[in-house]
Amino acid sequence: MHHGLNDVPRPTRRRRGAGRLIALLAAAGVVLAGCSAAEPAPAPEKEQRTSLTLGVVGELTSFNAATATGATAANRAVSALLDERLGSIDGSLQVVPNDGLGRITRVQGDPLKVSYELFTDRVWSDGTAVTLDDLVFGWAVSSHFFDDATYDVNGQVVSGTRYFDTAMPADPNARTARPIVDRADDTLTLTYDQPFADWNRQWLLDRPVHVVAQRAGVSVEELITAILTAPEGDPRAPAEPNPVLAAAAAVWNTGFDVAPGTTPDPASVVSAGPWSVAEVTADSLRLTRRDSYQGAHFPGLEGLTVRFFADRAAQLAALEAGEVDVANVGDLDVAERKTLTDAGYQVQVGPTTQTLHLRFADATASDLRQAMTLATDRSSLVQDVLGAMRPDAQPLQSFLSSTAAGQLYADLIAGNGAPGTGADVDGARNALGDRAAVLRLSYDTTDEVSAQVFSRLVSMGARAGIAVRAATPGDTVDATLSWVGEDESLYRSARDRLAEGIDGPNTDELFDDLTVHTDPVDVLAEAKEIDRSLFSVYAGIPLLERTGAVVAAAGVGGVAYTSEPDGVPPAFWTWSPPQS
């Protein structure tokens, strides 16, 4: 038994040594651990940016950019962000339907019938539904259906009533009958007096009718009833103003203005787009994304701040200081572009819708018009004036459009009769019968580009025996260098171009035909013929477009170029902040 108590073997000396070594190593490990540097704490994650700042030149004076006084670049920029419509214009001036809000459908060609549908779950930023009543009101504003005003030569009303003082005058070719509202089918239908090329640019949605009615002291039902029943205006028999329409018009004309020195209550700014106004200060507007928005333009950003600058110099200074993320900065020079790129900005450069034309006066002899056209080396002129910023710039080849219109322009100039872009000095001399001639040219001497072009025309004309001189007061002007703004519509561009200068043998008839085409293919074909008509009589020389630039801070994504000189870069819903 006692022997059994001693059966557990005692550890040998070697095993005791191994155990002691393990214990010593363990203890040493504890000591060493206490002496070594502590594990570094994980770096705090950088807070991801969710908003950007847009820089705009000008002052916010109205939340209605469609009025005669509210149509400023700054107000239009705000409108582009806040106002949802059934269509928009992209960076190449093409119409993009807004299928997230509703549909515009050409139901019939002649007579032209167009239907409008709004999706039922779309709401204004105050939660009120966007309805057909809003479209009815928008039609009343843009159609000038109720006006019976007569105007003097300066455009001032001398008798009758002009209700809605829109920046864009009523288009005589866009007249329609009173809209037909089918509430069971959720559609509004317009029937045009005649087919109209720009039917797909009549978007109707305007100020929220419930806000206009409330501020006018009437109900929405009273206002819509007045629009659907009041007689059409007749300037030959002006009537007493309709009190409901007059009250609504007074609100529309000035009720959305921002009085100098005041800041409106953000809650009073009701928008159809994906932003709500969170804060208004003297020089900024802070927007926040609204969760109730159900359209196709839901932004990736959670917020957007618009900063307003007194002038372009202040805008550029803010960019250089890193205070602005996105801006349309207009016509940069080489040094300004380098400063921005050195500061890390992405700079996109391209043509704008502002085009420079030499247009001959009606009384200018045809041989002089032909000779000056042949003497002008447009290729070298464009490279001299634009080459430093846009090495790929090409001379304009159309009276009606420009490269700012992208593929539309490329299609237009294919077979439109445009002359060559180089000079034919011998041809110019032959046109004049080798006699000397004088061309008195009027231009804006304060415009740098016009001044550069004028000096080059002087030297080009001289080679063909034409003395190009700056017209002085009292001179008979033979030609004018003039900047003209291109419209996104070929119809309106043609209308504006034909309002001045020489017409071709059948230009007016061609324009009449263009106006009543409702298929874009037919509009394009007619526009080509108008160009051919003008080129055939040497009506003028399309020269070049002014250059524009859109900048975005390093890492900012989704910002596209726009050819609109002061426009907000398109598709703000694709913009994204830098990723850390």
Side-chain angles (χ1 to χ4, degrees):
M1 291 287 294
H2 293 283
H3 176 73
L5 290 175
N6 295 320
D7 282 346
V8 180
R10 296 185 180 187
T12 65
R13 186 180 300 274
R14 185 176 178 181
R15 290 182 67 184
R16 282 199 308 270
R20 182 177 296 173
L21 178 61
I22 291 171
L24 289 170
L25 288 172
V30 171
V31 173
L32 288 171
C35 295
S36 64
E39 287 286 332
E45 290 188 10
K46 281 189 176 180
E47 186 177 347
Q48 293 291 330
R49 289 185 60 186
T50 59
S51 65
L52 293 173
T53 297
L54 170 71
V56 171
V57 173
E59 179 184 3
L60 176 65
T61 62
S62 180
F63 285 97
N64 187 355
T67 69
T69 57
T72 68
N75 294 338
R76 285 193 298 268
V78 171
S79 175
L81 300 170
L82 294 178
D83 295 335
E84 186 94 333
R85 295 186 176 90
L86 283 162
S88 61
I89 301 297
D90 67 14
S92 295
L93 308 184
Q94 303 309 300
V95 173
V96 181
N98 183 0
D99 295 329
L101 178 63
R103 297 187 187 92
I104 303 177
T105 306
R106 184 180 62 170
V107 178
Q108 185 174 310
D110 192 5
L112 175 63
K113 289 188 177 182
V114 179
S115 74
Y116 293 77
E117 176 190 0
L118 289 173
F119 299 146
T120 55
D121 56 351
R122 303 312 187 242
V123 297
W124 296 93
S125 59
D126 64 357
T128 304
V130 180
T131 71
L132 295 179
D133 289 339
D134 291 295
L135 296 186
V136 170
F137 177 70
W139 169 84
V141 171
S142 61
S143 68
H144 292 273
F145 186 85
F146 305 101
D147 290 357
D148 55 17
T150 300
Y151 302 89
D152 62 18
V153 293
N154 298 315
Q156 299 301 308
V157 175
V158 294
S159 66
T161 302
R162 174 183 171 87
Y163 287 95
F164 299 98
D165 193 17
T166 57
M168 291 288 291
D171 193 317
N173 295 312
R175 291 194 65 83
T176 74
R178 206 186 305 264
I180 302 299
V181 179
D182 186 339
R183 298 191 186 276
D185 198 31
D186 285 328
T187 59
L188 176 150
T189 302
L190 291 180
T191 300
Y192 283 80
D193 291 359
Q194 61 179 350
F196 180 51
D198 267 8
W199 64 268
N200 64 334
R201 289 170 170 80
Q202 313 306 303
W203 297 326
L204 301 191
L205 192 63
D206 196 272
R207 299 300 89 205
V209 69
H210 67 285
V211 174
V212 172
Q214 185 271 327
R215 295 181 185 180
V218 300
S219 68
V220 171
E221 183 180 2
E222 288 173 318
L223 178 52
I224 297 303
T225 298
I227 294 172
L228 295 179
T229 61
E232 181 177 2
D234 182 356
R236 296 167 300 181
E240 285 295 316
N242 181 289
V244 174
L245 291 177
V251 170
W252 189 89
N253 292 338
T254 62
F256 296 91
D257 292 353
V258 178
T262 67
T263 53
D265 176 7
S268 70
V269 184
V270 179
S271 71
W275 302 110
S276 291
V277 177
E279 182 183 18
V280 185
T281 70
D283 59 3
S284 70
L285 185 71
R286 185 166 62 85
L287 309 177
T288 56
R289 189 174 64 194
R290 64 180 179 102
D291 294 335
S292 61
Y293 175 77
Q294 296 294 320
H297 299 157
F298 194 80
L301 301 169
E302 293 180 8
L304 183 65
T305 297
V306 183
R307 284 191 57 191
F308 302 100
F309 298 97
D311 51 35
R312 182 171 174 272
Q315 182 193 43
L316 287 174
L319 282 165
E320 293 169 15
E323 299 170 2
V324 170
D325 300 301
V326 180
N328 184 346
V329 297
D331 199 351
L332 291 174
D333 61 32
V334 173
E336 290 169 336
R337 181 179 186 175
K338 184 177 187 305
T339 298
L340 290 171
T341 55
D342 288 349
Y345 281 94
Q346 309 164 68
V347 181
Q348 300 179 68
V349 173
T352 73
T353 58
Q354 290 184 320
T355 57
L356 186 65
H357 294 241
L358 188 148
R359 289 301 299 268
F360 295 112
D362 289 338
T364 304
S366 61
D367 57 356
L368 178 55
R369 300 198 308 265
Q370 180 181 4
M372 192 65 213
T373 300
L374 295 174
T376 303
D377 185 343
R378 296 188 293 145
S379 289
S380 66
L381 186 152
V382 167
Q383 280 305 305
D384 289 346
V385 176
L386 303 180
M389 287 297 293
R390 283 198 288 138
D392 59 346
Q394 297 294 322
L396 278 180
Q397 292 288 76
S398 171
F399 288 97
L400 308 184
S401 187
S402 73
T403 52
Q407 187 59 46
L408 174 67
Y409 172 76
D411 294 340
L412 174 61
I413 65 173
N416 71 335
T421 59
D424 180 1
V425 176
D426 290 338
R429 288 186 174 278
N430 288 336
L432 288 171
D434 264 339
R435 63 179 174 80
V438 175
L439 183 81
R440 289 169 288 270
L441 180 59
S442 173
Y443 71 100
D444 181 1
T445 58
T446 65
D447 178 68
E448 182 179 348
V449 174
S450 297
Q452 292 180 54
V453 169
F454 172 76
S455 68
R456 285 158 177 78
L457 291 177
V458 170
S459 59
M460 291 174 185
R463 289 195 289 268
I466 304 170
V468 177
R469 299 175 181 168
T472 59
D475 273 350
T476 298
V477 175
D478 301 308
T480 303
L481 270 181
S482 57
W483 286 102
V484 289
E486 179 181 354
D487 202 283
E488 79 275 2
S489 153
L490 269 178
Y491 155 72
R492 287 205 291 265
S493 287
R495 180 195 63 195
D496 296 344
R497 299 298 189 276
L498 299 180
E500 58 183 54
I502 297 168
D503 288 342
N506 58 341
T507 312
D508 290 337
E509 293 83 355
L510 292 170
F511 174 71
D512 289 341
D513 291 341
L514 179 149
T515 299
V516 298
H517 285 309
T518 59
D519 188 320
V521 173
D522 296 330
V523 172
L524 179 66
E526 213 69 52
K528 283 189 183 188
E529 291 303 315
I530 291 175
D531 261 346
R532 293 183 68 86
S533 178
L534 294 173
F535 281 124
S536 70
V537 295
Y538 301 99
I541 310 174
L543 296 171
L544 49 82
E545 318 100 336
R546 200 182 290 280
T547 299
V550 169
V551 300
V556 172
V559 178
Y561 178 76
T562 177
S563 56
E564 186 181 352
D566 300 307
V568 173
F572 60 80
W573 48 93
T574 67
W575 298 357
S576 61
Q579 301 298 306
S580 56

mmCIF file with all atom_site columns, all heavy atoms in Angstrom, residues 21-45:
data_model
loop_
_atom_site.group_PDB
_atom_site.id
_atom_site.type_symbol
_atom_site.label_atom_id
_atom_site.label_alt_id
_atom_site.label_comp_id
_atom_site.label_asym_id
_atom_site.label_entity_id
_atom_site.label_seq_id
_atom_site.pdbx_PDB_ins_code
_atom_site.Cartn_x
_atom_site.Cartn_y
_atom_site.Cartn_z
_atom_site.occupancy
_atom_site.B_iso_or_equiv
_atom_site.pdbx_formal_charge
_atom_site.auth_seq_id
_atom_site.auth_comp_id
_atom_site.auth_asym_id
_atom_site.auth_atom_id
_atom_site.pdbx_PDB_model_num
ATOM 1   N N   . LEU A 1 21 ? 12.666  26.945 -18.027 1.00 0.00 ? 21 LEU A N   1
ATOM 2   C CA  . LEU A 1 21 ? 12.988  27.739 -19.225 1.00 0.00 ? 21 LEU A CA  1
ATOM 3   C C   . LEU A 1 21 ? 11.714  28.324 -19.835 1.00 0.00 ? 21 LEU A C   1
ATOM 4   O O   . LEU A 1 21 ? 11.658  29.498 -20.198 1.00 0.00 ? 21 LEU A O   1
ATOM 5   C CB  . LEU A 1 21 ? 13.714  26.863 -20.248 1.00 0.00 ? 21 LEU A CB  1
ATOM 6   C CG  . LEU A 1 21 ? 14.070  27.540 -21.589 1.00 0.00 ? 21 LEU A CG  1
ATOM 7   C CD1 . LEU A 1 21 ? 14.997  28.722 -21.352 1.00 0.00 ? 21 LEU A CD1 1
ATOM 8   C CD2 . LEU A 1 21 ? 14.700  26.540 -22.540 1.00 0.00 ? 21 LEU A CD2 1
ATOM 9   N N   . ILE A 1 22 ? 10.705  27.507 -19.890 1.00 0.00 ? 22 ILE A N   1
ATOM 10  C CA  . ILE A 1 22 ? 9.436   27.989 -20.450 1.00 0.00 ? 22 ILE A CA  1
ATOM 11  C C   . ILE A 1 22 ? 8.881   29.121 -19.613 1.00 0.00 ? 22 ILE A C   1
ATOM 12  O O   . ILE A 1 22 ? 8.413   30.148 -20.101 1.00 0.00 ? 22 ILE A O   1
ATOM 13  C CB  . ILE A 1 22 ? 8.437   26.825 -20.535 1.00 0.00 ? 22 ILE A CB  1
ATOM 14  C CG1 . ILE A 1 22 ? 8.916   25.825 -21.611 1.00 0.00 ? 22 ILE A CG1 1
ATOM 15  C CG2 . ILE A 1 22 ? 7.037   27.330 -20.861 1.00 0.00 ? 22 ILE A CG2 1
ATOM 16  C CD1 . ILE A 1 22 ? 8.136   24.523 -21.630 1.00 0.00 ? 22 ILE A CD1 1
ATOM 17  N N   . ALA A 1 23 ? 8.963   28.932 -18.283 1.00 0.00 ? 23 ALA A N   1
ATOM 18  C CA  . ALA A 1 23 ? 8.453   29.980 -17.395 1.00 0.00 ? 23 ALA A CA  1
ATOM 19  C C   . ALA A 1 23 ? 9.236   31.263 -17.543 1.00 0.00 ? 23 ALA A C   1
ATOM 20  O O   . ALA A 1 23 ? 8.671   32.366 -17.560 1.00 0.00 ? 23 ALA A O   1
ATOM 21  C CB  . ALA A 1 23 ? 8.514   29.496 -15.943 1.00 0.00 ? 23 ALA A CB  1
ATOM 22  N N   . LEU A 1 24 ? 10.609  31.104 -17.641 1.00 0.00 ? 24 LEU A N   1
ATOM 23  C CA  . LEU A 1 24 ? 11.439  32.300 -17.801 1.00 0.00 ? 24 LEU A CA  1
ATOM 24  C C   . LEU A 1 24 ? 11.149  33.022 -19.111 1.00 0.00 ? 24 LEU A C   1
ATOM 25  O O   . LEU A 1 24 ? 11.068  34.248 -19.178 1.00 0.00 ? 24 LEU A O   1
ATOM 26  C CB  . LEU A 1 24 ? 12.924  31.926 -17.726 1.00 0.00 ? 24 LEU A CB  1
ATOM 27  C CG  . LEU A 1 24 ? 13.438  31.519 -16.330 1.00 0.00 ? 24 LEU A CG  1
ATOM 28  C CD1 . LEU A 1 24 ? 14.840  30.946 -16.428 1.00 0.00 ? 24 LEU A CD1 1
ATOM 29  C CD2 . LEU A 1 24 ? 13.421  32.719 -15.396 1.00 0.00 ? 24 LEU A CD2 1
ATOM 30  N N   . LEU A 1 25 ? 10.971  32.225 -20.197 1.00 0.00 ? 25 LEU A N   1
ATOM 31  C CA  . LEU A 1 25 ? 10.660  32.836 -21.496 1.00 0.00 ? 25 LEU A CA  1
ATOM 32  C C   . LEU A 1 25 ? 9.318   33.547 -21.457 1.00 0.00 ? 25 LEU A C   1
ATOM 33  O O   . LEU A 1 25 ? 9.150   34.637 -22.003 1.00 0.00 ? 25 LEU A O   1
ATOM 34  C CB  . LEU A 1 25 ? 10.669  31.774 -22.600 1.00 0.00 ? 25 LEU A CB  1
ATOM 35  C CG  . LEU A 1 25 ? 12.051  31.232 -22.992 1.00 0.00 ? 25 LEU A CG  1
ATOM 36  C CD1 . LEU A 1 25 ? 11.913  30.051 -23.949 1.00 0.00 ? 25 LEU A CD1 1
ATOM 37  C CD2 . LEU A 1 25 ? 12.886  32.333 -23.618 1.00 0.00 ? 25 LEU A CD2 1
ATOM 38  N N   . ALA A 1 26 ? 8.376   32.926 -20.782 1.00 0.00 ? 26 ALA A N   1
ATOM 39  C CA  . ALA A 1 26 ? 7.065   33.560 -20.673 1.00 0.00 ? 26 ALA A CA  1
ATOM 40  C C   . ALA A 1 26 ? 7.152   34.870 -19.927 1.00 0.00 ? 26 ALA A C   1
ATOM 41  O O   . ALA A 1 26 ? 6.577   35.885 -20.303 1.00 0.00 ? 26 ALA A O   1
ATOM 42  C CB  . ALA A 1 26 ? 6.081   32.618 -19.975 1.00 0.00 ? 26 ALA A CB  1
ATOM 43  N N   . ALA A 1 27 ? 7.925   34.843 -18.810 1.00 0.00 ? 27 ALA A N   1
ATOM 44  C CA  . ALA A 1 27 ? 8.101   36.074 -18.046 1.00 0.00 ? 27 ALA A CA  1
ATOM 45  C C   . ALA A 1 27 ? 8.821   37.132 -18.852 1.00 0.00 ? 27 ALA A C   1
ATOM 46  O O   . ALA A 1 27 ? 8.475   38.318 -18.830 1.00 0.00 ? 27 ALA A O   1
ATOM 47  C CB  . ALA A 1 27 ? 8.877   35.767 -16.752 1.00 0.00 ? 27 ALA A CB  1
ATOM 48  N N   . ALA A 1 28 ? 9.872   36.670 -19.580 1.00 0.00 ? 28 ALA A N   1
ATOM 49  C CA  . ALA A 1 28 ? 10.614  37.622 -20.421 1.00 0.00 ? 28 ALA A CA  1
ATOM 50  C C   . ALA A 1 28 ? 9.717   38.231 -21.473 1.00 0.00 ? 28 ALA A C   1
ATOM 51  O O   . ALA A 1 28 ? 9.788   39.414 -21.801 1.00 0.00 ? 28 ALA A O   1
ATOM 52  C CB  . ALA A 1 28 ? 11.813  36.919 -21.073 1.00 0.00 ? 28 ALA A CB  1
ATOM 53  N N   . GLY A 1 29 ? 8.825   37.360 -21.976 1.00 0.00 ? 29 GLY A N   1
ATOM 54  C CA  . GLY A 1 29 ? 7.898   37.875 -22.980 1.00 0.00 ? 29 GLY A CA  1
ATOM 55  C C   . GLY A 1 29 ? 7.020   38.968 -22.409 1.00 0.00 ? 29 GLY A C   1
ATOM 56  O O   . GLY A 1 29 ? 6.741   39.968 -23.059 1.00 0.00 ? 29 GLY A O   1
ATOM 57  N N   . VAL A 1 30 ? 6.598   38.789 -21.172 1.00 0.00 ? 30 VAL A N   1
ATOM 58  C CA  . VAL A 1 30 ? 5.772   39.817 -20.556 1.00 0.00 ? 30 VAL A CA  1
ATOM 59  C C   . VAL A 1 30 ? 6.552   41.103 -20.404 1.00 0.00 ? 30 VAL A C   1
ATOM 60  O O   . VAL A 1 30 ? 6.076   42.191 -20.675 1.00 0.00 ? 30 VAL A O   1
ATOM 61  C CB  . VAL A 1 30 ? 5.257   39.315 -19.182 1.00 0.00 ? 30 VAL A CB  1
ATOM 62  C CG1 . VAL A 1 30 ? 4.575   40.455 -18.441 1.00 0.00 ? 30 VAL A CG1 1
ATOM 63  C CG2 . VAL A 1 30 ? 4.297   38.160 -19.376 1.00 0.00 ? 30 VAL A CG2 1
ATOM 64  N N   . VAL A 1 31 ? 7.833   40.962 -19.961 1.00 0.00 ? 31 VAL A N   1
ATOM 65  C CA  . VAL A 1 31 ? 8.665   42.150 -19.783 1.00 0.00 ? 31 VAL A CA  1
ATOM 66  C C   . VAL A 1 31 ? 8.899   42.850 -21.105 1.00 0.00 ? 31 VAL A C   1
ATOM 67  O O   . VAL A 1 31 ? 8.778   44.064 -21.233 1.00 0.00 ? 31 VAL A O   1
ATOM 68  C CB  . VAL A 1 31 ? 10.008  41.773 -19.115 1.00 0.00 ? 31 VAL A CB  1
ATOM 69  C CG1 . VAL A 1 31 ? 10.937  42.969 -19.095 1.00 0.00 ? 31 VAL A CG1 1
ATOM 70  C CG2 . VAL A 1 31 ? 9.772   41.251 -17.721 1.00 0.00 ? 31 VAL A CG2 1
ATOM 71  N N   . LEU A 1 32 ? 9.262   42.056 -22.146 1.00 0.00 ? 32 LEU A N   1
ATOM 72  C CA  . LEU A 1 32 ? 9.525   42.657 -23.457 1.00 0.00 ? 32 LEU A CA  1
ATOM 73  C C   . LEU A 1 32 ? 8.287   43.336 -24.016 1.00 0.00 ? 32 LEU A C   1
ATOM 74  O O   . LEU A 1 32 ? 8.357   44.412 -24.603 1.00 0.00 ? 32 LEU A O   1
ATOM 75  C CB  . LEU A 1 32 ? 10.013  41.575 -24.437 1.00 0.00 ? 32 LEU A CB  1
ATOM 76  C CG  . LEU A 1 32 ? 11.437  41.054 -24.182 1.00 0.00 ? 32 LEU A CG  1
ATOM 77  C CD1 . LEU A 1 32 ? 11.722  39.846 -25.065 1.00 0.00 ? 32 LEU A CD1 1
ATOM 78  C CD2 . LEU A 1 32 ? 12.446  42.158 -24.431 1.00 0.00 ? 32 LEU A CD2 1
ATOM 79  N N   . ALA A 1 33 ? 7.141   42.678 -23.796 1.00 0.00 ? 33 ALA A N   1
ATOM 80  C CA  . ALA A 1 33 ? 5.904   43.291 -24.292 1.00 0.00 ? 33 ALA A CA  1
ATOM 81  C C   . ALA A 1 33 ? 5.657   44.622 -23.629 1.00 0.00 ? 33 ALA A C   1
ATOM 82  O O   . ALA A 1 33 ? 5.197   45.582 -24.234 1.00 0.00 ? 33 ALA A O   1
ATOM 83  C CB  . ALA A 1 33 ? 4.721   42.355 -24.044 1.00 0.00 ? 33 ALA A CB  1
ATOM 84  N N   . GLY A 1 34 ? 5.997   44.701 -22.357 1.00 0.00 ? 34 GLY A N   1
ATOM 85  C CA  . GLY A 1 34 ? 5.804   45.958 -21.655 1.00 0.00 ? 34 GLY A CA  1
ATOM 86  C C   . GLY A 1 34 ? 6.735   47.035 -22.142 1.00 0.00 ? 34 GLY A C   1
ATOM 87  O O   . GLY A 1 34 ? 6.433   48.221 -22.053 1.00 0.00 ? 34 GLY A O   1
ATOM 88  N N   . CYS A 1 35 ? 7.920   46.638 -22.678 1.00 0.00 ? 35 CYS A N   1
ATOM 89  C CA  . CYS A 1 35 ? 8.897   47.626 -23.141 1.00 0.00 ? 35 CYS A CA  1
ATOM 90  C C   . CYS A 1 35 ? 8.700   48.031 -24.588 1.00 0.00 ? 35 CYS A C   1
ATOM 91  O O   . CYS A 1 35 ? 9.214   49.043 -25.030 1.00 0.00 ? 35 CYS A O   1
ATOM 92  C CB  . CYS A 1 35 ? 10.320  47.072 -22.960 1.00 0.00 ? 35 CYS A CB  1
ATOM 93  S SG  . CYS A 1 35 ? 10.759  46.822 -21.234 1.00 0.00 ? 35 CYS A SG  1
ATOM 94  N N   . SER A 1 36 ? 7.983   47.226 -25.418 1.00 0.00 ? 36 SER A N   1
ATOM 95  C CA  . SER A 1 36 ? 7.841   47.532 -26.852 1.00 0.00 ? 36 SER A CA  1
ATOM 96  C C   . SER A 1 36 ? 6.771   48.596 -27.066 1.00 0.00 ? 36 SER A C   1
ATOM 97  O O   . SER A 1 36 ? 5.944   48.841 -26.199 1.00 0.00 ? 36 SER A O   1
ATOM 98  C CB  . SER A 1 36 ? 7.479   46.251 -27.624 1.00 0.00 ? 36 SER A CB  1
ATOM 99  O OG  . SER A 1 36 ? 6.215   45.790 -27.202 1.00 0.00 ? 36 SER A OG  1
ATOM 100 N N   . ALA A 1 37 ? 6.794   49.220 -28.309 1.00 0.00 ? 37 ALA A N   1
ATOM 101 C CA  . ALA A 1 37 ? 5.826   50.268 -28.642 1.00 0.00 ? 37 ALA A CA  1
ATOM 102 C C   . ALA A 1 37 ? 4.423   49.684 -28.745 1.00 0.00 ? 37 ALA A C   1
ATOM 103 O O   . ALA A 1 37 ? 4.239   48.565 -29.215 1.00 0.00 ? 37 ALA A O   1
ATOM 104 C CB  . ALA A 1 37 ? 6.208   50.918 -29.969 1.00 0.00 ? 37 ALA A CB  1
ATOM 105 N N   . ALA A 1 38 ? 3.447   50.457 -28.317 1.00 0.00 ? 38 ALA A N   1
ATOM 106 C CA  . ALA A 1 38 ? 2.061   50.000 -28.378 1.00 0.00 ? 38 ALA A CA  1
ATOM 107 C C   . ALA A 1 38 ? 1.576   49.961 -29.829 1.00 0.00 ? 38 ALA A C   1
ATOM 108 O O   . ALA A 1 38 ? 2.074   50.699 -30.672 1.00 0.00 ? 38 ALA A O   1
ATOM 109 C CB  . ALA A 1 38 ? 1.180   50.936 -27.561 1.00 0.00 ? 38 ALA A CB  1
ATOM 110 N N   . GLU A 1 39 ? 0.645   49.066 -30.135 1.00 0.00 ? 39 GLU A N   1
ATOM 111 C CA  . GLU A 1 39 ? 0.059   48.996 -31.476 1.00 0.00 ? 39 GLU A CA  1
ATOM 112 C C   . GLU A 1 39 ? -0.598  50.339 -31.816 1.00 0.00 ? 39 GLU A C   1
ATOM 113 O O   . GLU A 1 39 ? -1.341  50.880 -30.991 1.00 0.00 ? 39 GLU A O   1
ATOM 114 C CB  . GLU A 1 39 ? -1.002  47.895 -31.523 1.00 0.00 ? 39 GLU A CB  1
ATOM 115 C CG  . GLU A 1 39 ? -0.434  46.486 -31.508 1.00 0.00 ? 39 GLU A CG  1
ATOM 116 C CD  . GLU A 1 39 ? 0.191   46.114 -32.834 1.00 0.00 ? 39 GLU A CD  1
ATOM 117 O OE1 . GLU A 1 39 ? -0.259  46.664 -33.862 1.00 0.00 ? 39 GLU A OE1 1
ATOM 118 O OE2 . GLU A 1 39 ? 1.137   45.319 -32.842 1.00 0.00 ? 39 GLU A OE2 1
ATOM 119 N N   . PRO A 1 40 ? -0.317  50.914 -33.019 1.00 0.00 ? 40 PRO A N   1
ATOM 120 C CA  . PRO A 1 40 ? -0.933  52.206 -33.360 1.00 0.00 ? 40 PRO A CA  1
ATOM 121 C C   . PRO A 1 40 ? -2.453  52.089 -33.461 1.00 0.00 ? 40 PRO A C   1
ATOM 122 O O   . PRO A 1 40 ? -2.974  51.090 -33.945 1.00 0.00 ? 40 PRO A O   1
ATOM 123 C CB  . PRO A 1 40 ? -0.324  52.541 -34.730 1.00 0.00 ? 40 PRO A CB  1
ATOM 124 C CG  . PRO A 1 40 ? 0.112   51.229 -35.299 1.00 0.00 ? 40 PRO A CG  1
ATOM 125 C CD  . PRO A 1 40 ? 0.511   50.382 -34.115 1.00 0.00 ? 40 PRO A CD  1
ATOM 126 N N   . ALA A 1 41 ? -3.134  53.125 -32.992 1.00 0.00 ? 41 ALA A N   1
ATOM 127 C CA  . ALA A 1 41 ? -4.590  53.136 -33.079 1.00 0.00 ? 41 ALA A CA  1
ATOM 128 C C   . ALA A 1 41 ? -5.006  53.293 -34.539 1.00 0.00 ? 41 ALA A C   1
ATOM 129 O O   . ALA A 1 41 ? -4.322  53.963 -35.311 1.00 0.00 ? 41 ALA A O   1
ATOM 130 C CB  . ALA A 1 41 ? -5.151  54.295 -32.258 1.00 0.00 ? 41 ALA A CB  1
ATOM 131 N N   . PRO A 1 42 ? -6.087  52.647 -34.958 1.00 0.00 ? 42 PRO A N   1
ATOM 132 C CA  . PRO A 1 42 ? -6.516  52.783 -36.355 1.00 0.00 ? 42 PRO A CA  1
ATOM 133 C C   . PRO A 1 42 ? -6.852  54.237 -36.692 1.00 0.00 ? 42 PRO A C   1
ATOM 134 O O   . PRO A 1 42 ? -7.439  54.945 -35.882 1.00 0.00 ? 42 PRO A O   1
ATOM 135 C CB  . PRO A 1 42 ? -7.773  51.898 -36.438 1.00 0.00 ? 42 PRO A CB  1
ATOM 136 C CG  . PRO A 1 42 ? -8.232  51.750 -35.029 1.00 0.00 ? 42 PRO A CG  1
ATOM 137 C CD  . PRO A 1 42 ? -6.993  51.803 -34.172 1.00 0.00 ? 42 PRO A CD  1
ATOM 138 N N   . ALA A 1 43 ? -6.401  54.648 -37.881 1.00 0.00 ? 43 ALA A N   1
ATOM 139 C CA  . ALA A 1 43 ? -6.662  56.034 -38.299 1.00 0.00 ? 43 ALA A CA  1
ATOM 140 C C   . ALA A 1 43 ? -8.160  56.253 -38.459 1.00 0.00 ? 43 ALA A C   1
ATOM 141 O O   . ALA A 1 43 ? -8.862  55.380 -38.991 1.00 0.00 ? 43 ALA A O   1
ATOM 142 C CB  . ALA A 1 43 ? -5.951  56.325 -39.617 1.00 0.00 ? 43 ALA A CB  1
ATOM 143 N N   . PRO A 1 44 ? -8.654  57.387 -38.007 1.00 0.00 ? 44 PRO A N   1
ATOM 144 C CA  . PRO A 1 44 ? -10.093 57.645 -38.169 1.00 0.00 ? 44 PRO A CA  1
ATOM 145 C C   . PRO A 1 44 ? -10.446 57.755 -39.652 1.00 0.00 ? 44 PRO A C   1
ATOM 146 O O   . PRO A 1 44 ? -9.687  58.320 -40.442 1.00 0.00 ? 44 PRO A O   1
ATOM 147 C CB  . PRO A 1 44 ? -10.295 58.983 -37.464 1.00 0.00 ? 44 PRO A CB  1
ATOM 148 C CG  . PRO A 1 44 ? -8.948  59.612 -37.436 1.00 0.00 ? 44 PRO A CG  1
ATOM 149 C CD  . PRO A 1 44 ? -7.958  58.504 -37.363 1.00 0.00 ? 44 PRO A CD  1
ATOM 150 N N   . GLU A 1 45 ? -11.551 57.166 -40.022 1.00 0.00 ? 45 GLU A N   1
ATOM 151 C CA  . GLU A 1 45 ? -11.970 57.219 -41.421 1.00 0.00 ? 45 GLU A CA  1
ATOM 152 C C   . GLU A 1 45 ? -12.331 58.648 -41.804 1.00 0.00 ? 45 GLU A C   1
ATOM 153 O O   . GLU A 1 45 ? -12.967 59.369 -41.032 1.00 0.00 ? 45 GLU A O   1
ATOM 154 C CB  . GLU A 1 45 ? -13.188 56.316 -41.648 1.00 0.00 ? 45 GLU A CB  1
ATOM 155 C CG  . GLU A 1 45 ? -12.866 54.837 -41.555 1.00 0.00 ? 45 GLU A CG  1
ATOM 156 C CD  . GLU A 1 45 ? -14.058 53.993 -41.987 1.00 0.00 ? 45 GLU A CD  1
ATOM 157 O OE1 . GLU A 1 45 ? -15.023 54.585 -42.522 1.00 0.00 ? 45 GLU A OE1 1
ATOM 158 O OE2 . GLU A 1 45 ? -14.033 52.779 -41.796 1.00 0.00 ? 45 GLU A OE2 1
#
